[in-house]
Amino acid sequence: MTREPASSSPARASRRALGAALLSGAAGATVVLIAAGQTWAEGETSQNGLGAGELHVTASGSAVSGLPSALALVGLASLVAVFAVRRTGRVVVASVLALSGAGAIGAALVGASDTTALERSAGDALGLTEAAVTGVSHSGWPWISAVGGLLLLIAGLLALSYGRQWPAMSGRYERTERGDRRGRRGAVDPDRPEDLWKALDRGEDPTT
């Protein structure tokens, strides 16, 4: 039987963590942003002489708190930036990604029982600063938003654990650029005056 090299297992785990982080981070940010546009709370407010009966009012997630959406965008940007930096920079960006997820979870849980936005919505409907709301009910969207924040948090933790082993876009670009420069230097023909002038323009010594 052939035994796999010991180094293949960590490499495979790193690749799986990379795929899981990308999927988890993108899905988490999408879930939070979608949840922000949904109804988080609804209730009834008295029209106080403006008409008979009760007026139905609702409050969306973005009206309750703009923090989950903002943190989802920060997390999404951090997920992309993880591959543009290295070493300490990657740890910092991965930490921002994890903190964005944790913050989105906290904001969603706080908003799950919030009635301030609903009272503002009632006040707007009645032309007042705010109004009392009765029969308040909350939907499940705050909890779905919290799940999205959890996915962002998982992506950040994966980046913190395995990020040092992931490839960096900047490194690939620098290697290509150095290779191009070496290729240009090696192409100088001392018998061609135009090549000599081009080398001098690049700040190179054409005699080496």
mmCIF file of all heavy atoms in Angstrom, residues 10-26 79 82-83 90 154-155 158-159 161-163 165-168 172:
data_model
loop_
_atom_site.group_PDB
_atom_site.id
_atom_site.type_symbol
_atom_site.label_atom_id
_atom_site.label_comp_id
_atom_site.label_asym_id
_atom_site.label_seq_id
_atom_site.Cartn_x
_atom_site.Cartn_y
_atom_site.Cartn_z
ATOM 1 N N PRO A 10 -2.263 18.389 6.039
ATOM 2 C CA PRO A 10 -2.445 19.810 6.351
ATOM 3 C C PRO A 10 -2.794 20.637 5.121
ATOM 4 O O PRO A 10 -3.595 21.579 5.202
ATOM 5 C CB PRO A 10 -1.090 20.220 6.928
ATOM 6 C CG PRO A 10 -0.486 18.960 7.433
ATOM 7 C CD PRO A 10 -0.944 17.902 6.490
ATOM 8 N N ALA A 11 -2.188 20.298 3.971
ATOM 9 C CA ALA A 11 -2.486 21.051 2.751
ATOM 10 C C ALA A 11 -3.944 20.858 2.350
ATOM 11 O O ALA A 11 -4.622 21.812 1.936
ATOM 12 C CB ALA A 11 -1.561 20.596 1.632
ATOM 13 N N ARG A 12 -4.432 19.615 2.481
ATOM 14 C CA ARG A 12 -5.827 19.357 2.147
ATOM 15 C C ARG A 12 -6.757 20.088 3.104
ATOM 16 O O ARG A 12 -7.767 20.658 2.691
ATOM 17 C CB ARG A 12 -6.105 17.853 2.185
ATOM 18 C CG ARG A 12 -7.497 17.495 1.672
ATOM 19 C CD ARG A 12 -7.792 16.008 1.789
ATOM 20 N NE ARG A 12 -6.828 15.208 1.045
ATOM 21 C CZ ARG A 12 -5.927 14.430 1.613
ATOM 22 N NH1 ARG A 12 -5.849 14.339 2.945
ATOM 23 N NH2 ARG A 12 -5.095 13.721 0.875
ATOM 24 N N ALA A 13 -6.420 20.084 4.390
ATOM 25 C CA ALA A 13 -7.238 20.807 5.377
ATOM 26 C C ALA A 13 -7.259 22.294 5.092
ATOM 27 O O ALA A 13 -8.296 22.953 5.228
ATOM 28 C CB ALA A 13 -6.695 20.547 6.781
ATOM 29 N N SER A 14 -6.107 22.833 4.655
ATOM 30 C CA SER A 14 -6.045 24.258 4.334
ATOM 31 C C SER A 14 -6.928 24.589 3.137
ATOM 32 O O SER A 14 -7.636 25.608 3.138
ATOM 33 C CB SER A 14 -4.596 24.655 4.037
ATOM 34 O OG SER A 14 -4.516 26.006 3.635
ATOM 35 N N ARG A 15 -6.910 23.728 2.112
ATOM 36 C CA ARG A 15 -7.757 23.965 0.940
ATOM 37 C C ARG A 15 -9.232 23.879 1.298
ATOM 38 O O ARG A 15 -10.049 24.678 0.823
ATOM 39 C CB ARG A 15 -7.420 22.959 -0.163
ATOM 40 C CG ARG A 15 -6.078 23.190 -0.831
ATOM 41 C CD ARG A 15 -5.965 22.383 -2.113
ATOM 42 N NE ARG A 15 -6.043 20.953 -1.861
ATOM 43 C CZ ARG A 15 -5.006 20.176 -1.620
ATOM 44 N NH1 ARG A 15 -3.786 20.698 -1.568
ATOM 45 N NH2 ARG A 15 -5.157 18.875 -1.427
ATOM 46 N N ARG A 16 -9.581 22.914 2.133
ATOM 47 C CA ARG A 16 -10.985 22.795 2.551
ATOM 48 C C ARG A 16 -11.411 24.007 3.371
ATOM 49 O O ARG A 16 -12.534 24.509 3.226
ATOM 50 C CB ARG A 16 -11.161 21.514 3.352
ATOM 51 C CG ARG A 16 -11.073 20.245 2.516
ATOM 52 C CD ARG A 16 -11.175 19.006 3.392
ATOM 53 N NE ARG A 16 -11.152 17.776 2.603
ATOM 54 C CZ ARG A 16 -11.116 16.563 3.115
ATOM 55 N NH1 ARG A 16 -11.093 16.398 4.440
ATOM 56 N NH2 ARG A 16 -11.103 15.499 2.328
ATOM 57 N N ALA A 17 -10.515 24.471 4.244
ATOM 58 C CA ALA A 17 -10.834 25.654 5.046
ATOM 59 C C ALA A 17 -11.006 26.882 4.164
ATOM 60 O O ALA A 17 -11.873 27.726 4.420
ATOM 61 C CB ALA A 17 -9.731 25.894 6.078
ATOM 62 N N LEU A 18 -10.187 26.981 3.119
ATOM 63 C CA LEU A 18 -10.306 28.101 2.187
ATOM 64 C C LEU A 18 -11.669 28.101 1.513
ATOM 65 O O LEU A 18 -12.359 29.122 1.459
ATOM 66 C CB LEU A 18 -9.189 28.018 1.152
ATOM 67 C CG LEU A 18 -9.257 28.999 -0.025
ATOM 68 C CD1 LEU A 18 -9.260 30.428 0.477
ATOM 69 C CD2 LEU A 18 -8.088 28.767 -0.977
ATOM 70 N N GLY A 19 -12.071 26.946 0.984
ATOM 71 C CA GLY A 19 -13.374 26.858 0.334
ATOM 72 C C GLY A 19 -14.518 27.128 1.293
ATOM 73 O O GLY A 19 -15.481 27.825 0.954
ATOM 74 N N ALA A 20 -14.399 26.585 2.509
ATOM 75 C CA ALA A 20 -15.455 26.795 3.503
ATOM 76 C C ALA A 20 -15.549 28.257 3.908
ATOM 77 O O ALA A 20 -16.646 28.793 4.092
ATOM 78 C CB ALA A 20 -15.190 25.925 4.733
ATOM 79 N N ALA A 21 -14.412 28.931 4.047
ATOM 80 C CA ALA A 21 -14.422 30.342 4.437
ATOM 81 C C ALA A 21 -15.059 31.208 3.359
ATOM 82 O O ALA A 21 -15.856 32.109 3.656
ATOM 83 C CB ALA A 21 -12.998 30.813 4.735
ATOM 84 N N LEU A 22 -14.698 30.948 2.097
ATOM 85 C CA LEU A 22 -15.285 31.722 1.000
ATOM 86 C C LEU A 22 -16.793 31.522 0.927
ATOM 87 O O LEU A 22 -17.553 32.484 0.790
ATOM 88 C CB LEU A 22 -14.628 31.320 -0.319
ATOM 89 C CG LEU A 22 -13.173 31.755 -0.522
ATOM 90 C CD1 LEU A 22 -12.607 31.131 -1.784
ATOM 91 C CD2 LEU A 22 -13.080 33.267 -0.586
ATOM 92 N N LEU A 23 -17.218 30.272 1.013
ATOM 93 C CA LEU A 23 -18.646 29.972 0.935
ATOM 94 C C LEU A 23 -19.391 30.538 2.136
ATOM 95 O O LEU A 23 -20.446 31.167 1.996
ATOM 96 C CB LEU A 23 -18.844 28.462 0.844
ATOM 97 C CG LEU A 23 -20.293 27.973 0.719
ATOM 98 C CD1 LEU A 23 -20.927 28.522 -0.546
ATOM 99 C CD2 LEU A 23 -20.339 26.449 0.724
ATOM 100 N N SER A 24 -18.840 30.333 3.330
ATOM 101 C CA SER A 24 -19.495 30.791 4.552
ATOM 102 C C SER A 24 -19.572 32.310 4.604
ATOM 103 O O SER A 24 -20.615 32.881 4.942
ATOM 104 C CB SER A 24 -18.731 30.262 5.770
ATOM 105 O OG SER A 24 -19.317 30.698 6.972
ATOM 106 N N GLY A 25 -18.469 32.986 4.253
ATOM 107 C CA GLY A 25 -18.466 34.449 4.303
ATOM 108 C C GLY A 25 -19.418 35.072 3.299
ATOM 109 O O GLY A 25 -20.174 35.996 3.632
ATOM 110 N N ALA A 26 -19.399 34.577 2.062
ATOM 111 C CA ALA A 26 -20.279 35.131 1.031
ATOM 112 C C ALA A 26 -21.745 34.864 1.370
ATOM 113 O O ALA A 26 -22.602 35.751 1.233
ATOM 114 C CB ALA A 26 -19.928 34.539 -0.328
ATOM 115 N N LEU A 79 -13.277 39.717 3.621
ATOM 116 C CA LEU A 79 -13.095 38.387 3.033
ATOM 117 C C LEU A 79 -12.264 38.478 1.758
ATOM 118 O O LEU A 79 -11.405 37.629 1.500
ATOM 119 C CB LEU A 79 -14.462 37.762 2.734
ATOM 120 C CG LEU A 79 -14.460 36.345 2.170
ATOM 121 C CD1 LEU A 79 -13.849 35.369 3.173
ATOM 122 C CD2 LEU A 79 -15.877 35.916 1.801
ATOM 123 N N VAL A 82 -8.508 39.535 2.597
ATOM 124 C CA VAL A 82 -7.660 38.488 3.184
ATOM 125 C C VAL A 82 -6.628 37.994 2.173
ATOM 126 O O VAL A 82 -5.483 37.689 2.529
ATOM 127 C CB VAL A 82 -8.524 37.315 3.685
ATOM 128 C CG1 VAL A 82 -7.687 36.066 3.894
ATOM 129 C CG2 VAL A 82 -9.206 37.688 4.990
ATOM 130 N N PHE A 83 -6.990 37.953 0.899
ATOM 131 C CA PHE A 83 -6.101 37.408 -0.129
ATOM 132 C C PHE A 83 -5.207 38.486 -0.746
ATOM 133 O O PHE A 83 -4.394 38.181 -1.609
ATOM 134 C CB PHE A 83 -6.929 36.736 -1.221
ATOM 135 C CG PHE A 83 -7.802 35.642 -0.692
ATOM 136 C CD1 PHE A 83 -9.143 35.878 -0.397
ATOM 137 C CD2 PHE A 83 -7.287 34.393 -0.445
ATOM 138 C CE1 PHE A 83 -9.953 34.879 0.112
ATOM 139 C CE2 PHE A 83 -8.084 33.380 0.068
ATOM 140 C CZ PHE A 83 -9.409 33.630 0.347
ATOM 141 N N ARG A 90 -2.781 39.939 7.217
ATOM 142 C CA ARG A 90 -3.823 38.936 7.031
ATOM 143 C C ARG A 90 -4.505 38.605 8.356
ATOM 144 O O ARG A 90 -5.715 38.402 8.409
ATOM 145 C CB ARG A 90 -3.234 37.679 6.405
ATOM 146 C CG ARG A 90 -4.239 36.573 6.183
ATOM 147 C CD ARG A 90 -3.704 35.511 5.245
ATOM 148 N NE ARG A 90 -3.600 36.002 3.885
ATOM 149 C CZ ARG A 90 -3.247 35.250 2.840
ATOM 150 N NH1 ARG A 90 -2.937 33.983 3.032
ATOM 151 N NH2 ARG A 90 -3.187 35.750 1.627
ATOM 152 N N ILE A 154 -17.711 32.428 11.413
ATOM 153 C CA ILE A 154 -17.024 31.180 11.082
ATOM 154 C C ILE A 154 -15.951 31.423 10.017
ATOM 155 O O ILE A 154 -14.831 30.906 10.107
ATOM 156 C CB ILE A 154 -18.035 30.126 10.611
ATOM 157 C CG1 ILE A 154 -18.925 29.684 11.782
ATOM 158 C CG2 ILE A 154 -17.328 28.921 9.994
ATOM 159 C CD1 ILE A 154 -20.067 28.775 11.380
ATOM 160 N N ALA A 155 -16.297 32.233 9.015
ATOM 161 C CA ALA A 155 -15.320 32.547 7.964
ATOM 162 C C ALA A 155 -14.104 33.252 8.564
ATOM 163 O O ALA A 155 -12.957 32.972 8.185
ATOM 164 C CB ALA A 155 -15.973 33.417 6.891
ATOM 165 N N LEU A 158 -11.963 30.720 10.491
ATOM 166 C CA LEU A 158 -11.211 29.875 9.564
ATOM 167 C C LEU A 158 -10.012 30.634 8.994
ATOM 168 O O LEU A 158 -8.921 30.072 8.842
ATOM 169 C CB LEU A 158 -12.119 29.398 8.430
ATOM 170 C CG LEU A 158 -13.157 28.336 8.795
ATOM 171 C CD1 LEU A 158 -14.112 28.100 7.630
ATOM 172 C CD2 LEU A 158 -12.475 27.025 9.182
ATOM 173 N N ALA A 159 -10.230 31.913 8.678
ATOM 174 C CA ALA A 159 -9.130 32.731 8.160
ATOM 175 C C ALA A 159 -8.041 32.919 9.208
ATOM 176 O O ALA A 159 -6.847 32.927 8.888
ATOM 177 C CB ALA A 159 -9.658 34.082 7.689
ATOM 178 N N SER A 161 -7.320 30.771 11.566
ATOM 179 C CA SER A 161 -6.687 29.478 11.816
ATOM 180 C C SER A 161 -5.818 29.010 10.655
ATOM 181 O O SER A 161 -4.739 28.446 10.869
ATOM 182 C CB SER A 161 -7.755 28.422 12.110
ATOM 183 O OG SER A 161 -8.516 28.771 13.252
ATOM 184 N N TYR A 162 -6.297 29.227 9.419
ATOM 185 C CA TYR A 162 -5.605 28.675 8.256
ATOM 186 C C TYR A 162 -5.095 29.742 7.287
ATOM 187 O O TYR A 162 -4.448 29.405 6.292
ATOM 188 C CB TYR A 162 -6.546 27.744 7.480
ATOM 189 C CG TYR A 162 -6.993 26.529 8.249
ATOM 190 C CD1 TYR A 162 -8.179 26.534 8.980
ATOM 191 C CD2 TYR A 162 -6.237 25.364 8.244
ATOM 192 C CE1 TYR A 162 -8.595 25.417 9.690
ATOM 193 C CE2 TYR A 162 -6.641 24.243 8.936
ATOM 194 C CZ TYR A 162 -7.824 24.277 9.665
ATOM 195 O OH TYR A 162 -8.228 23.159 10.365
ATOM 196 N N GLY A 163 -5.382 31.002 7.538
ATOM 197 C CA GLY A 163 -5.080 32.051 6.568
ATOM 198 C C GLY A 163 -3.631 32.168 6.173
ATOM 199 O O GLY A 163 -3.317 32.530 5.037
ATOM 200 N N GLN A 165 -1.639 29.956 5.454
ATOM 201 C CA GLN A 165 -1.297 28.960 4.433
ATOM 202 C C GLN A 165 -1.979 29.237 3.095
ATOM 203 O O GLN A 165 -1.707 28.551 2.114
ATOM 204 C CB GLN A 165 -1.703 27.565 4.927
ATOM 205 C CG GLN A 165 -1.122 27.187 6.269
ATOM 206 C CD GLN A 165 -1.724 25.903 6.814
ATOM 207 O OE1 GLN A 165 -2.014 24.981 6.062
ATOM 208 N NE2 GLN A 165 -1.920 25.841 8.118
ATOM 209 N N TRP A 166 -2.861 30.222 3.052
ATOM 210 C CA TRP A 166 -3.590 30.507 1.815
ATOM 211 C C TRP A 166 -2.749 31.363 0.888
ATOM 212 O O TRP A 166 -1.910 32.152 1.329
ATOM 213 C CB TRP A 166 -4.911 31.209 2.128
ATOM 214 C CG TRP A 166 -5.871 30.361 2.892
ATOM 215 C CD1 TRP A 166 -5.802 29.021 3.095
ATOM 216 C CD2 TRP A 166 -7.043 30.809 3.578
ATOM 217 N NE1 TRP A 166 -6.855 28.591 3.849
ATOM 218 C CE2 TRP A 166 -7.641 29.667 4.170
ATOM 219 C CE3 TRP A 166 -7.651 32.040 3.750
ATOM 220 C CZ2 TRP A 166 -8.806 29.744 4.909
ATOM 221 C CZ3 TRP A 166 -8.816 32.121 4.488
ATOM 222 C CH2 TRP A 166 -9.396 30.983 5.063
ATOM 223 N N PRO A 167 -2.972 31.256 -0.427
ATOM 224 C CA PRO A 167 -2.205 32.075 -1.382
ATOM 225 C C PRO A 167 -2.601 33.539 -1.286
ATOM 226 O O PRO A 167 -3.691 33.884 -0.819
ATOM 227 C CB PRO A 167 -2.599 31.474 -2.734
ATOM 228 C CG PRO A 167 -3.957 30.884 -2.502
ATOM 229 C CD PRO A 167 -3.941 30.361 -1.095
ATOM 230 N N ALA A 168 -1.696 34.384 -1.735
ATOM 231 C CA ALA A 168 -1.949 35.830 -1.733
ATOM 232 C C ALA A 168 -1.878 36.353 -3.156
ATOM 233 O O ALA A 168 -0.966 36.014 -3.907
ATOM 234 C CB ALA A 168 -0.931 36.555 -0.849
ATOM 235 N N ARG A 172 1.574 36.619 -6.026
ATOM 236 C CA ARG A 172 1.570 36.096 -7.393
ATOM 237 C C ARG A 172 1.901 37.201 -8.382
ATOM 238 O O ARG A 172 2.643 37.017 -9.326
ATOM 239 C CB ARG A 172 0.193 35.498 -7.704
ATOM 240 C CG ARG A 172 0.115 34.839 -9.059
ATOM 241 C CD ARG A 172 -1.264 34.251 -9.272
ATOM 242 N NE ARG A 172 -1.598 33.308 -8.216
ATOM 243 C CZ ARG A 172 -2.802 32.783 -8.053
ATOM 244 N NH1 ARG A 172 -3.787 33.119 -8.870
ATOM 245 N NH2 ARG A 172 -3.035 31.925 -7.082
#
